[in-house]
Amino acid sequence: QWNLVCDNDWKGPLSTSLFFVGVLLGSFVSGQLSDKFGRKNVLFATLAMQTGFSFVQVFSTSWEMFSVFFVLVGMGQISNYVAAFVLGTEILGKSVRVLFCTLGVCIFYAFGYMLLPLFAYFIRDWRMLLLALTLPGLLCIPLWWVIPESPRWLISQGRFQEAEDIIRKAAKTNGLTAPDVILDPSELQDLNSQKQQTYTILDLMKTRNILTITIMSVILWMIISVGYFGLSLDTPNLHGDVYVNCFLSAVIEVPAYVISWLLLRNLPRRYSMAAALFLGGCVLLFIQLVPSHIRALSILLVMLGKFGITSAFSMVYVYTAELYPTVVRNMGVGASSMASRLGSILSPYFVYLGAYDRFLPYILMGSLTVLSGILTLFLPESYGMPLPDTIDQMLLVKGLEYRPASSSTRDSKEEEENPEIFKSTAF
């Protein structure tokens, strides 16, 4: 519509990158906002932000106006995603929480992804398509009266009565009888008043071990993000019907999430991640060898590559959280997530390289994915191990010398060698 062709074709991928810039900015502020104002308030405020600015986008009069609002939509999108994820994990019980974090969130994300080409097939005007994709956001309004605030957050803010009311309501809904005293305000007040040691981003570089894990995690997240979003954005360039290809790209995510969940439950993290990355990377490299007249095979290989990279993307969240100790786990995962956002910003330009050579994006994404699979093999194995609480208790990167620095470090080593002894005290 705004002549985004020929000399202006660079504006297409830039629009997508600007959306991911908004996602990057939203990632910076969403955690602090939900810690300060509450999970529920931030969830619905950012849902309104995403829906509102998407609606305004429909009436954009220039590419510049569209792109500015795209940044704001990206900020709202990631903020409500993170807030919903945290709220769900804090409200739900342990048995349901794992299911929610893996299959629940991811598979419904894939279902939404499947609806996109279905809407686009029947609505060819981009303004009407954007409006049709925006209006379902209004269906979330009634959920304000259904979804409770996080009791854990309320307790952290000293709002004990509100937290207790939510817990009693949950017990009643589940047909359980709540005890007379659920929360003892005096005990909780003492717990909240205890001074905790503060940690900063610099603690991610405190020792050679944690610095190495941080660098490896950042590289891993960035490469996986480039591969995932690059393949997702490249579906219009595949042979065949663009709507069918986009739908297939969404459908393949469902078995990828199921497989990653099963692997996380039953097999070591390091080898599961490496296998998924090797599968994704190798099939992308093989695409250039497929004869041009066998189009179905090319599409099959792209979908297999998407399957492998999506599985790795799902597993890397859990793996990274298990590698970092409790005291800096949020910062460690946050730093890795920032790297992922940078990868998503770069991904449209990997796709753009296809204008110069059709196979160049696959060669680059495939090579980087295989390299990240090799890198994964050097990470410590966390499967079946208790979560570390302190930096000294972190599992060691393969190849790094172990030199005991303190008694806590020795305790950590004993825990690595005899994990069964410590399982009873791991939280």
Side-chain angles (χ1 to χ4, degrees), residues 92-325:
L92 297 171
K94 185 179 179 181
S95 58
V96 185
R97 189 185 305 141
V98 176
L99 201 62
F100 169 79
C101 293
T102 52
L103 295 186
V105 172
C106 295
I107 285 185
F108 279 92
Y109 171 87
F111 287 160
Y113 190 173
M114 289 180 210
L115 289 175
L116 173 62
L118 188 66
F119 274 62
Y121 182 80
F122 292 104
I123 307 171
R124 299 301 175 100
D125 179 72
W126 74 264
R127 292 183 191 272
M128 290 298 101
L129 173 60
L130 185 55
L131 183 62
L133 296 170
T134 299
L135 290 178
L138 299 176
L139 298 176
C140 295
I141 294 175
L143 295 177
W144 173 265
W145 291 276
V146 177
I147 298 174
E149 181 54 272
S150 164
R152 292 174 185 269
W153 179 80
L154 290 170
I155 290 169
S156 73
Q157 301 298 304
R159 294 159 63 177
F160 306 123
Q161 187 58 51
E162 292 175 62
E164 188 165 317
D165 290 343
I166 291 171
I167 294 169
R168 289 190 183 282
K169 185 178 179 182
K172 184 179 179 182
T173 304
N174 290 319
L176 301 172
T177 303
D180 294 333
V181 178
I182 297 176
L183 304 172
D184 187 334
S186 59
E187 287 183 13
L188 291 168
Q189 205 74 54
D190 291 340
L191 188 66
N192 284 341
S193 63
Q194 287 177 1
K195 289 187 177 180
Q196 300 288 329
Q197 182 181 350
T198 56
Y199 289 84
T200 67
I201 197 75
L202 295 176
D203 286 291
L204 297 180
M205 298 173 275
K206 187 174 182 180
T207 66
R208 192 168 62 142
N209 188 50
I210 193 171
L211 175 61
T212 306
I213 287 177
T214 300
I215 292 171
M216 292 167 76
S217 296
V218 163
I219 294 171
L220 195 61
W221 279 65
M222 186 180 293
I223 292 174
I224 292 175
S225 183
V226 166
Y228 175 81
F229 288 104
L231 290 176
S232 298
L233 296 171
D234 191 56
T235 46
N237 300 324
L238 296 174
H239 300 297
D241 188 278
V242 61
Y243 301 98
V244 172
N245 290 338
C246 186
F247 181 76
L248 290 175
S249 182
V251 168
I252 199 67
E253 294 202 2
V254 175
Y257 292 133
V258 173
I259 287 292
S260 62
W261 176 61
L262 292 172
L263 290 174
L264 286 172
R265 286 187 60 186
N266 302 300
L267 293 172
R269 313 292 193 235
R270 186 169 58 201
Y271 299 122
S272 300
M273 278 273 298
L277 290 167
F278 283 138
L279 171 66
C282 289
V283 295
L284 292 181
L285 291 173
F286 288 148
I287 290 173
Q288 59 187 311
L289 305 176
V290 177
S292 58
H293 63 279
I294 313 180
R295 296 178 175 180
L297 182 56
S298 295
I299 295 173
L300 176 63
L301 289 177
V302 171
M303 294 308 159
L304 270 175
K306 179 78 182 294
F307 172 86
I309 292 174
T310 302
S311 297
F313 212 166
S314 179
M315 288 186 278
V316 76
Y317 278 87
V318 176
Y319 194 12
T320 306
E322 289 178 345
L323 289 176
Y324 282 102

Side-chain angles (χ1 to χ4, degrees), residues 210 321-330 387-391 394:
I210 193 171
E322 289 178 345
L323 289 176
Y324 282 102
T326 303
V327 292
V328 292
R329 184 170 293 124
N330 199 50
L387 292 176
D389 289 318
T390 66
I391 292 173
M394 286 182 70

